[in-house]
Amino acid sequence: MADEKAMSGNHENLKLALEDATQYAGHGQAATDQYGRALFEFDRKAESRLRWKMDLYLLPTVAVIYLFCFIDRANIGNAKLAGFDTDLNLKGYDYNHVLSVFYISYIIFEIPCNLCCKWMGPGWFLPLSTLLFGVTSVATAFVDTIHQASGVRFVLGIFEAGMLPGIAYYLSRWYRRSELAFRLALYIVMAPLAGAFGGLLASAILTLDRFGSLHNWRMIFAIEGIVTIGLALISFLTLTDRPETARWLSQEEKDLAIARLKSERIGTTEVLDKIDTTKLLRGIFSPVTLATSFIFLLNNITVQGLAFFAPTIVRTIYPDAGVVQQQLHTVPPYAVGAFFTVLFPFLSWRWDRRMTFFIAGPPLMMTGYIMFLASTDAHVRYGATFLIASGAFAFGALCNAHVSNNVVSDTARSAAIGTNVMFGNIGGLISTWSFLEFDAPDYHIGNGLNLATSSMCLILSALLWAWMNWDNKKRDAKDIDQELAGLSQTQIQDLDWRNPAFKWRP
């Protein structure tokens, strides 16, 4: 145990804390005892300086590339307002079919892409994925039929499948469990900001007469895709794969970064393990992973529904406004949603709680959908979109942090995050059929569905929270020494969340 005075923060004790970090950062050396208690404490000032440095070097790049990931996915909603469906002669449910194709590949490739991210390393995988979906976005500008549009959307789903879980997994290589949700929020907030910024950008692009030989909605896909390609090329230079390879960290800071993570992972002797089937299955089939993933599925019906249909909903509320004005009306609800996307995970970091905010978000969404169903007044329904966005968008950060925090090994974490996002994208697929043309302008089916899913989010979150507390009490009663007797270090590590000393973190 490090000297308790190491927390005082003077130079001598800071050096002691870093020397301890060096000892416990080494391969084959655990940083916890068999009961899950950290073997020493870190100097808080040293941790704070390291955290600020990681924030500065890591978060801007992943935030911007995720912004354009979401824009390149959701700009089809803005393109629809500018004549995408008319020029491609889409009728009936054709637009919904085009949206659905994206999610088929997105769901299928979710877990494989996240395992590829672990195998290749996020520092290469994320920039390469960004480059490829940027090229695909440009290709969308040249489609002329529903079949061509469906083809490029399917390919876009493949290249974007690894982005949300890949970035979440990438940041879990750097941050403590209590810190992770807020850092995830700082890039996931780009989803609602993409709705706001995407509307502004689409409005600005549509004021142009032409872009080369392209007109109208084709300019949106081409210009935004080219920007994405440029960002991908930059990110090849700016993304650092893991603490050990960070040229902007001193050796002492690298050791501290590694030891911090080890000190929270019971029985772990190395932060980055090799892909292991047992740990892979532990991550996928953890009860917390499965329950959280289903909650994320329900929530994502709302999040992706807003992304694809907010411009259409706004058009029904303000039918007499011009196209550019309709685009601009989609911006304020997303801006408010972005605020709550950061606020909830920030409080989660400070209180080291996530389930509290699983409970806080759904009532906002439920109130918004009740307003949609109960009123036909334009101002009331527009106000409802603010409440819905406020409650919905924070779940991306909270759910990914929750599944990451409730497994131990790096392999299990990669699989758990991939599973969570895969389930979420099943919700996205459902969302493409939640607002149907025959149900316009009031969309009773879509709003009723979302009221039901947000209500289920609240109920399931309360049940999951109760179960985690109940199971933790059962674990407290176990004889850890007896349970682990005769097991090798490798066998103990393979237990992951089944280790009797492991505690769920609500």
Side-chain angles (χ1 to χ4, degrees), residues 126-176:
L126 295 175
L128 180 61
S129 295
T130 305
L131 176 65
L132 293 173
F133 71 69
V135 171
T136 306
S137 180
V138 174
T140 311
F142 298 93
V143 301
D144 294 307
T145 68
I146 182 176
H147 303 296
Q148 293 172 354
S150 298
V152 293
R153 292 291 292 183
F154 185 86
V155 174
L156 185 68
I158 296 173
F159 295 145
E160 288 203 1
M163 291 304 296
L164 175 57
I167 297 175
Y169 163 67
Y170 175 52
L171 295 183
S172 75
R173 287 184 166 194
W174 297 81
Y175 291 100
R176 281 181 179 267

Side-chain angles (χ1 to χ4, degrees), residues 427-496:
L429 177 60
I430 295 170
S431 77
T432 64
W433 295 93
S434 58
F435 292 92
L436 302 173
E437 287 294 332
F438 76 84
D439 200 30
D442 294 326
Y443 294 108
H444 291 297
I445 295 174
N447 292 319
L449 171 66
N450 281 279
L451 175 60
T453 57
S454 54
S455 300
M456 283 299 298
C457 281
L458 178 62
I459 294 169
L460 292 175
S461 296
L463 290 174
L464 176 59
W465 195 357
W467 179 85
M468 293 173 74
N469 289 328
W470 172 78
D471 196 61
N472 277 343
K473 289 180 181 178
K474 282 183 61 181
R475 289 168 180 261
D476 286 336
K478 292 184 177 181
D479 186 331
I480 295 173
D481 293 319
Q482 182 177 347
E483 296 265 353
L484 298 179
L487 297 181
S488 67
Q489 182 65 43
T490 300
Q491 289 173 318
I492 291 173
Q493 289 189 87
D494 280 345
L495 288 173
D496 208 87

Side-chain angles (χ1 to χ4, degrees), residues 251-264:
Q251 186 58 51
E252 290 82 4
E253 289 170 330
K254 292 177 183 180
D255 293 335
L256 179 58
I258 297 166
R260 275 173 16 108
L261 298 181
K262 276 191 180 182
S263 69
E264 295 188 319

Side-chain angles (χ1 to χ4, degrees), residues 112-135:
C113 278
N114 219 35
L115 293 177
C116 182
C117 181
K118 175 178 172 58
W119 172 74
M120 183 184 294
W124 288 101
F125 177 84
L126 295 175
L128 180 61
S129 295
T130 305
L131 176 65
L132 293 173
F133 71 69
V135 171

